[in-house]
Amino acid sequence: MILVTGGAGYIGSHTVKELLRAGYEVVVLDDLSSGHRELVLTEHFVQADVRDRKALRAAFRRYPIRAVMHFAALTSVPESVADPGRYYEVNLLGTLNLLEAMREFGVKTIVFSSSAAVYGDPQKIPIPEDHPTRPKSPYGRTKLMVEEILCDYARAYGFSYVSLRYFNAAGSDPAGRIGEWHEPERHLIPIVLEAALGKRPYVEIFGTDYETPDGTGVRDYIHVVDLAQAHVLALRYLEAGGKSGIYNLGIGRGYSVREVIEVCRKVTGREIPVREGPRRPGDPAVLVADPTRAQEELGWKPVYTALEPLVETAWRWLLRLSSRFSQS
Ligand code: UFG
């Protein structure tokens, strides 16, 4: 059985779906602080916080866990700047609790959710995994510290791990059963689509004076189902005896904020009011992955390499989510 912490969250829930589809048995552990019970697709569910050592050990005692995927974490960059203590407690101590429980129960295989936030301001584009790591926020630092802890656990205790550095996860399950559901929403694509739906008066563009072709920030948007697939491949790779390692997950192509808004206009056929605002502190101009290593070593091949089909899945999900709320 595979333990998925944070399996009620956005990326975790999509990965659970892919794991089940690949024939794995899955148990989800999530405290539902930001995840949603409705997104949990397995019958095996433990509601617990990763800071709760006793609950973690009880889960290992109860289920025959052979590997772990660790998504449970706090994920907001600005929030981590304002309240670093909470980020170190949940993302760092929570992970240590999990690793110690794994050690106690002899489980040594883990796939970890890392982030492009470990790089800080890029010195070159696209960004390869050996790019210097200078995170600019406590959030990014917690991710980098866990990567280093995993390296130590591998050396000392024989753990094998894959750390996956996500670029900008976006889109939703094309079947519409699960999807991106953050409260509050902070990510560009759902924000733009909420404006298309009339749930927001406008989209604010954070900065129009970057040194990019149209002056707005450029990001590498990777579909959440492609991300989820990469987790299944990483697990298979480790279970087949693959060497521990770190992999970027992005499509290797960037889109500007204005390009994203334009694609959203096309997909929705609706007006999207826009306001131009100042830069958001801490935002790099461009973040684009070099995903060659994941492609070569894990055999990963993203399906969504264009923005339009990705936005279509996000739009379908948002329509579903909002009709659900207007009915209830
Ligand atoms: N943006 C806007 N207006 C908005 C929201 C976003 O213009 O209302 C812009 C941002 O400035 C950025 C782009 O849209 O250029 C994407 O912004 P997101 O907030 O969607 O995503 P980020 O690139 O800021 O964040 C992502 C992940 C984080 C990770 C970070 C690494 O969501 O988990 O990359 O820097 F830490």
Side-chain angles (χ1 to χ4, degrees):
M1 198 166 231
I2 311 302
L3 171 67
V4 178
T5 72
Y10 172 43
I11 304 172
S13 63
H14 284 82
T15 302
V16 168
K17 184 172 181 187
E18 294 306 314
L19 281 169
L20 292 171
R21 222 158 61 156
Y24 288 95
E25 280 202 287
V26 178
V27 52
V28 164
L29 183 140
D30 197 302
D31 68 350
L32 301 181
S33 59
S34 58
H36 301 272
R37 184 69 180 86
E38 298 92 316
L39 299 182
V40 177
L41 297 181
T42 167
E43 69 206 82
H44 306 291
F45 176 67
V46 177
Q47 184 170 349
D49 187 319
V50 283
R51 287 172 295 184
D52 182 348
R53 284 179 173 232
K54 260 175 80 180
L56 278 173
R57 293 166 68 200
F60 277 91
R61 210 169 292 123
R62 176 157 174 214
Y63 295 99
I65 294 164
R66 70 170 204 254
V68 175
M69 292 201 179
H70 181 38
F71 297 90
L74 300 175
T75 59
S76 160
V77 171
E79 203 176 80
S80 79
V81 175
D83 191 5
R86 244 181 95 223
Y87 273 69
Y88 286 112
E89 207 184 310
V90 175
N91 294 8
L92 206 56
L93 296 183
T95 304
L96 261 184
N97 287 340
L98 175 67
L99 296 177
E100 283 302 295
M102 288 175 68
R103 205 150 78 83
E104 188 179 331
F105 288 85
V107 180
K108 294 184 173 178
T109 304
I110 181 166
V111 179
F112 172 62
S113 301
S114 188
S115 167
V118 300
Y119 294 116
D121 283 323
Q123 292 167 9
K124 66 172 182 177
I125 295 289
I127 305 176
E129 288 84 354
D130 61 3
H131 183 283
T133 44
R134 299 207 184 93
K136 293 172 76 179
S137 65
Y139 167 73
R141 275 187 281 280
T142 64
K143 293 291 176 185
L144 186 58
M145 285 175 192
V146 170
E147 286 190 1
E148 286 167 350
I149 291 171
L150 287 172
C151 189
D152 290 338
Y153 271 58
R155 207 172 301 138
Y157 309 130
F159 273 48
S160 55
Y161 69 90
V162 162
S163 288
L164 298 173
R165 293 177 174 167
Y166 314 153
F167 282 66
N168 288 60
S172 289
D173 169 26
R177 167 68 182 81
I178 54 175
E180 184 164 17
W181 185 359
H182 294 117
E183 285 160 359
E185 189 48 74
R186 298 188 180 93
H187 296 101
L188 180 67
I189 292 177
I191 284 177
V192 174
L193 295 176
E194 284 178 13
L197 205 57
K199 280 177 73 183
R200 289 175 187 263
Y202 60 88
V203 180
E204 180 172 343
I205 301 182
F206 297 149
T208 52
D209 58 350
Y210 285 108
E211 279 182 30
T212 57
D214 67 17
T216 67
V218 171
R219 294 290 182 274
D220 183 331
Y221 295 93
I222 165 172
H223 197 283
V224 67
V225 172
D226 284 327
L227 260 186
Q229 276 295 345
H231 288 75
V232 176
L233 292 170
L235 179 62
R236 281 209 191 110
Y237 162 87
L238 287 174
E239 292 200 314
K243 213 168 95 239
S244 294
I246 293 173
Y247 297 90
N248 281 338
L249 292 178
I251 62 164
R253 182 202 192 294
Y255 291 91
S256 73
V257 174
R258 287 195 210 279
E259 283 175 316
V260 168
I261 295 171
E262 207 33 61
V263 169
C264 290
R265 277 204 184 100
K266 209 168 144 204
V267 167
T268 63
R270 305 204 184 185
E271 285 278 300
I272 301 175
V274 165
R275 282 197 197 167
E276 297 188 357
R279 293 184 182 194
R280 185 170 62 177
D283 269 355
V286 182
L287 275 179
V288 175
D290 176 348
T292 314
R293 189 187 284 180
Q295 290 169 353
E296 287 179 354
E297 295 181 15
L298 303 180
W300 180 63
K301 203 169 180 302
V303 173
Y304 290 84
T305 51
L307 203 51
E308 210 174 301
L310 180 152
V311 169
E312 277 166 10
T313 66
W315 179 234
R316 211 172 308 142
W317 164 254
L318 185 65
L319 290 174
R320 193 158 172 258
L321 193 62
S322 51
S323 73
R324 186 194 134 129
F325 280 118
S326 54
Q327 277 158 19
S328 57

